Every structure is written in C-alpha cells, then in structure tokens.
Amino acid sequence: MSLKWPSKDPDETLDFSIDWSRFLEGRFISSGTWYFYDANGVKTQVSDGNTVDGLTSGAQYSTTTVTTIVLSNGTRNKDYRVGCAIVFGDGLVAERTVRIRIRDGS
C-alpha cells in the first residue's frame, strides 16, 4: 500500500505523519523505524540528520497510534518514497510507504 503526502518545498523543514489508528484494530505502536528509498529502490534506514538522494531526515517520534518524521531539503521536481515500519505491542510488524514530491512554493 502506498500513501501520498502533500508536496514540499526544498527550503521547508516540516513534519509528516502516518496515522495508523484505523489499521491497529485495538493494538498500539511499540516503536517505529523510518526508511528512505534511493533512486535504485534500495531501502536505507534513516535517523536524525541522514540524507539520501538529497532528502534529509530529522527528528522521528511516535505515539501509540501515529508515527512522525521531520523532512528537509530534497531535489526539486523529484518524487521520493519514504517508508515506516512499526512494531505493535504484541510483536507483530507492519510497514507502509509514502510518496512525497519536492516542488517550489508548495
């Protein structure tokens, strides 16, 4: 399943979230891990300050139902794929991928 976030200007630093609440079915998020996919589709785990193909990850945090990452930079007119894997409180794992486009004046 691929989701889509609104476009982002390369000069902006903004937080982007995935609300997992409808998917959780009574479970809760124990932890979340964020990934960037490079131009070749290679998935790389990111932490605060990592840059992959021009997109930079910032702070990452989660509640029991929402995971959030701060994004900055990015290459104009480029689409990025950002993934998040969560671990439920009972140990099960789920992952979603989100697309984001970098545009001037978004």
Side-chain angles (χ1 to χ4, degrees), residues 1-75:
M1 176 178 181
S2 183
L3 307 169
K4 185 177 178 183
W5 283 323
S7 296
K8 177 188 120 30
D9 186 284
D11 298 324
E12 296 175 324
T13 298
L14 298 170
D15 58 340
F16 292 88
S17 299
I18 300 174
D19 181 348
W20 300 81
S21 59
R22 293 191 330 174
F23 178 76
L24 294 173
E25 298 181 359
R27 296 182 180 97
F28 64 90
I29 296 171
S30 175
S31 65
T33 304
W34 289 92
Y35 301 90
F36 288 174
Y37 292 83
D38 69 14
N40 297 317
V42 175
K43 181 169 99 172
T44 302
Q45 183 177 339
V46 293
S47 58
D48 193 355
N50 291 140
T51 300
V52 176
D53 281 351
L55 186 64
T56 302
S57 67
Q60 303 171 26
Y61 46 94
S62 61
T63 67
T64 56
T65 60
V66 176
T67 52
T68 302
I69 187 169
V70 174
L71 299 176
S72 60
N73 303 320
T75 303

Side-chain angles (χ1 to χ4, degrees), residues 62-105:
S62 61
T63 67
T64 56
T65 60
V66 176
T67 52
T68 302
I69 187 169
V70 174
L71 299 176
S72 60
N73 303 320
T75 303
R76 286 172 175 80
N77 298 317
K78 181 175 173 75
D79 289 337
Y80 289 91
R81 288 177 42 219
V82 178
C84 183
I86 60 168
V87 177
F88 296 105
D90 60 7
L92 296 177
V93 177
E95 184 171 344
R96 294 291 180 262
T97 302
V98 185
R99 294 189 182 277
I100 185 168
R101 177 171 272 268
I102 307 301
R103 297 220 180 201
D104 281 326

